[in-house]
């Protein structure tokens, strides 16, 4: 797929089928993650958890719905890339770095014809003491900072409807 087409296909999908994402596609997404930029060359500052475990996914859904009274924060997606900080993370860079990693995941998912959505909501609502984090059994000092849900999504083959309308200023 041409790069501009990938850009046109990138969008947030909020409905998923039960179809599993193949291990080949997961590997492609991991390769895209490893092509990310990261501030101060700090590779040790991030850990990526690839979550297919239904108990963990269901725990996120249940905990978040209980806390917010809203709908499923994962939209039924079967695969979740959880970007985690570590003891080595540089605090003033963590939001930039994790956002860049998330964007790489979304762009690759778009190229693969998969749906995806960047998720900060449940990470923020549930905090560090959440039950889903205990179930993830992460190494000491490792905590989620941002996640991207990925899956087969109706409409994933269609282009995004609208573009951003950021104001642009030229300073010649
Ligand atoms: C940092 C960040 C956090 C986000 N968190 C959520 C989220 O928790 N839940 C959600 O449904 N969408 C989330 N989104 C998706 C945005 O709401 C979405 O990008 C926006 O609706 C624009 O739609 P588009 O991605 O289709 O262009 C997030 C996006 C970003 C960049």
């Amino acid at each position: 797929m041409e790069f501009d087409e990938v850009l046109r296909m990138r969008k947030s999908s909020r409905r998923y089928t039960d179809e599993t994402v193949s291990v080949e596609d997961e590997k492609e997404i991991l390769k895209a993650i490893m092509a990310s930029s990261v501030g101060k060359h700090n590779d040790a500052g991030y850990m990526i958890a690839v979550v297919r475990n239904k108990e963990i996914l269901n725990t996120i859904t249940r905990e978040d719905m209980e806390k917010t009274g809203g709908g499923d924060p994962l939209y039924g997606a079967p695969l979740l890339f959880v970007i985690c900080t570590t003891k080595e993370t540089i605090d003033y860079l963590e939001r930039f770095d994790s956002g860049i990693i998330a964007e790489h995941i979304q762009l690759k998912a778009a190229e693969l014809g998969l749906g995806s959505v960047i998720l900060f909501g449940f990470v923020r609502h549930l905090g560090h003491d959440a039950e889903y984090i205990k179930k993830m059994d992460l190494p000491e000092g490792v905590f989620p900072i941002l996640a991207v849900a990925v899956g087969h999504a109706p409409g994933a083959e269609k282009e995004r409807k609208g573009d951003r309308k950021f104001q642009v200023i030229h300073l010649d």
Side-chain angles (χ1 to χ4, degrees), residues 82-121:
V82 183
I83 304 159
C84 300
T85 54
T86 72
K87 287 180 176 175
E88 312 297 323
T89 307
I90 299 164
D91 58 356
Y92 61 82
L93 291 174
E94 64 185 24
R95 292 197 174 200
F96 306 114
D97 291 339
S98 60
I100 287 166
I101 296 167
E103 180 71 351
H104 274 225
I105 298 171
Q106 239 198 352
L107 291 174
K108 193 67 199 184
E111 195 203 23
L112 293 168
L114 295 164
S116 67
V117 58
I118 298 175
L119 299 172
F120 182 58

Side-chain angles (χ1 to χ4, degrees), residues 9-14 64 72-75 95 98-99 102-103 106 116-125 145-147 160-164:
M9 301 301 290
R10 189 217 60 77
K11 61 187 167 294
S12 300
S13 294
R14 295 189 174 87
D64 193 72
D72 177 2
L74 307 182
Y75 306 102
R95 292 197 174 200
S98 60
E103 180 71 351
Q106 239 198 352
S116 67
V117 58
I118 298 175
L119 299 172
F120 182 58
F122 81 85
V123 176
R124 183 171 66 86
H125 301 147
I145 176 125
L146 192 60
R160 186 182 58 258
K161 282 210 182 84
D163 284 345
R164 302 278 84 80

